[in-house]
Amino acid sequence: MEALILSCSTGGGHNAAAKAVQACLSRKGHHAILLDPYSLQGQEVADKVGSTYIEVVRRVPRLFGVVYKAGEWYTKLQERFPHHSPVYLFQRKSARKLRDYLQKSQPDIIITTHVFAGEMLTMLQNQGMKLPPVVYIATDYTSIPFTQEVSADCYVVGHRDIMKSFEAAGLPRWKILPYGIPVSEAFQNRRSRPDACKALGLDPSLRHVLLSGGSMGFGLDGMIQLLLPVLNRHPEVQLLVLAGSNAGMRARIDAKYTTGQIRALGPTDQMPLYLQACQVLITKPGGLSTTEACVSQIPMILVHPIPGVETINAGFFESHHMARWSRDPEKDLAQILEEVLADPEPMEQAQALLQSNAAQKTASLCESLVRSR
């Protein structure tokens, strides 16, 4: 089977889900190509799309929240007056490039983890192009604006309890499959905490708290300040600060905190091991990072959601007892961390109920769709 997986680099989650499905298909003996459709116009275009998104959410997250709310309003307007959104129309040039690529490559199935790529495929269908089966994978715990503009054979979503949000967007219930969000197999292959610590060069006698700003390193310095009282009370706790691609933030942390109790980490491909080695994760509620944490069964505290979809993600995990949400870190973060360190078991038990085999189920779905054609 020849599979084409489309993703875009607006945050790391879409690519992570795409790579998880790609790896699973490859293990099953299929050929799967991962492509950013914007790169068909040149890699600089793909990089620009990704970097523009990252800069907006890093520098002015409230603006992103306003844009997200506008998208929700526009979606409701489309229900009354059906018409294509500006976001859909923006994909015209990329859709033409994608059409040329598909005519040459002739994949047996197309998987997309991003609404933009889904809109490109829908545009091609609306123009009369016959496509192979299309599978759309939602990477957050709600139907984001403009999902209704993606025409797919199946929609893979993160949990059965969020199916109604996709139905409300006009998608047929029988096409919505609550398989979970695909994550890398590495998060499922669990090690004991001492073994994971040893592999990472961490002291297994300490209790490790992982502070992550996501792939963009949000607000880490201020968060450290809020956690210092907890560290002072618990000398056996080491704070590992994952700054990701934010090199400037990492340098500031290294210069400011010189004790061994706080350790800054750069970009890493060992995230599964860190989640297995640590007792608590403090993170933004991105759809993929939260799913990876739950699959790893590490107690989780959610902070600083980007207004819009990440706020909804945080509410989902809190309501299902799989995370605590620090709504006002200056007032409640330290206390929440104390409580989670004291009693992590209820959260671990709730997390164990989340689907962990979404990539495998999605790969099997793809095989079934191709066989039925």
Side-chain angles (χ1 to χ4, degrees):
M1 181 172 69
E2 293 287 330
L4 174 64
I5 306 174
L6 301 177
S7 181
C8 304
S9 298
T10 54
H14 304 287
N15 288 340
K19 289 176 181 177
V21 175
Q22 181 187 33
C24 194
L25 286 169
S26 297
R27 287 194 297 270
K28 292 167 75 71
H30 304 296
H31 184 230
I33 294 175
L34 175 56
L35 175 70
D36 183 334
Y38 291 115
S39 69
L40 296 174
Q41 298 180 59
Q43 188 57 45
E44 66 278 5
V45 175
D47 292 342
K48 184 66 174 178
V49 171
S51 63
T52 299
Y53 170 87
I54 289 170
E55 285 303 303
V56 169
V57 297
R58 177 186 285 171
R59 296 182 183 277
V60 281
R62 290 183 180 177
L63 174 60
F64 182 86
V66 170
V67 172
Y68 189 90
K69 283 292 184 184
E72 290 182 320
W73 175 84
Y74 205 95
T75 295
K76 292 178 181 179
L77 183 65
Q78 285 178 308
E79 294 173 4
R80 293 189 174 187
F81 308 102
H83 62 288
H84 295 309
S85 72
V87 176
Y88 175 94
L89 297 174
F90 176 77
Q91 314 304 332
R92 284 178 293 192
K93 186 173 182 179
S94 297
R96 288 195 296 270
K97 294 288 186 179
L98 182 58
R99 178 189 59 206
D100 296 340
Y101 178 89
L102 293 174
Q103 287 173 339
K104 294 177 182 177
S105 61
Q106 295 290 310
D108 298 308
I109 193 160
I110 303 174
I111 303 112
T112 176
T113 61
H114 202 291
V115 67
F116 292 170
E119 287 178 312
M120 294 176 203
L121 293 169
T122 303
M123 186 174 291
L124 296 180
Q125 289 177 311
N126 291 340
Q127 293 170 356
M129 184 175 185
K130 187 175 181 180
L131 296 178
V134 173
V135 176
Y136 175 80
I137 299 174
T139 57
D140 288 291
Y141 287 85
T142 187
S143 173
I144 66 171
F146 311 115
T147 299
Q148 77 283 357
E149 294 188 314
V150 177
S151 178
D153 293 82
C154 295
Y155 301 83
V156 173
V157 305
H159 196 275
R160 63 181 179 275
D161 291 348
I162 66 171
M163 292 175 66
K164 289 183 179 179
S165 74
F166 290 86
E167 291 180 65
L171 306 184
R173 183 179 178 85
W174 62 272
K175 288 188 174 185
I176 305 169
L177 304 174
Y179 287 174
I181 297 178
V183 300
S184 168
E185 187 180 44
F187 292 97
Q188 302 171 52
N189 298 334
R190 301 188 65 195
R191 296 192 190 189
S192 68
R193 278 203 174 93
D195 285 348
C197 286
K198 184 178 179 180
L200 293 169
L202 301 176
D203 184 347
S205 68
L206 297 177
R207 304 170 76 190
H208 299 95
V209 174
L210 184 62
L211 173 60
S212 172
S215 61
M216 292 165 273
F218 281 88
L220 294 175
D221 198 16
M223 299 287 287
I224 295 171
Q225 289 292 314
L226 298 176
L227 295 171
L228 286 177
V230 180
L231 298 179
N232 291 334
R233 286 191 294 270
H234 297 276
E236 82 285 1
V237 172
Q238 183 180 48
L239 182 66
L240 304 177
V241 184
L242 186 62
S245 58
N246 195 333
M249 176 66 71
R250 189 167 70 252
R252 289 193 294 274
I253 292 169
D254 286 337
K256 189 171 184 178
Y257 305 102
T258 57
T259 71
Q261 206 174 3
I262 299 174
R263 178 176 166 185
L265 305 173
T268 180
D269 59 0
Q270 298 297 318
M271 196 63 178
L273 278 176
Y274 279 109
L275 294 182
Q276 292 159 21
C278 294
Q279 272 82 0
V280 181
L281 170 67
I282 303 173
T283 184
K284 290 173 66 279
L288 255 292
S289 58
T290 46
T291 305
E292 291 166 350
C294 281
V295 170
S296 302
Q297 291 182 42
I298 177 173
M300 183 168 45
I301 302 172
L302 304 176
V303 293
H304 295 161
I306 299 171
V309 67
E310 288 194 352
T311 305
I312 298 172
N313 288 344
F316 170 84
F317 280 98
E318 182 182 56
S319 67
H320 286 77
H321 311 292
M322 292 185 281
R324 294 284 300 275
W325 181 3
S326 172
R327 287 175 170 79
D328 189 345
E330 290 189 2
K331 293 181 179 179
D332 62 16
L333 178 60
Q335 180 61 35
I336 291 174
L337 177 57
E338 292 267 18
E339 293 170 359
V340 174
L341 285 170
D343 188 18
E345 189 173 346
M347 200 182 299
E348 292 173 340
Q349 292 174 345
Q351 290 174 339
L353 302 176
L354 192 73
Q355 290 271 17
S356 63
N357 60 346
Q360 297 93 316
K361 294 181 76 170
T362 301
S364 296
L365 168 67
C366 293
E367 290 175 323
S368 176
L369 289 171
V370 171
R371 283 196 302 266
S372 65
R373 279 293 174 105

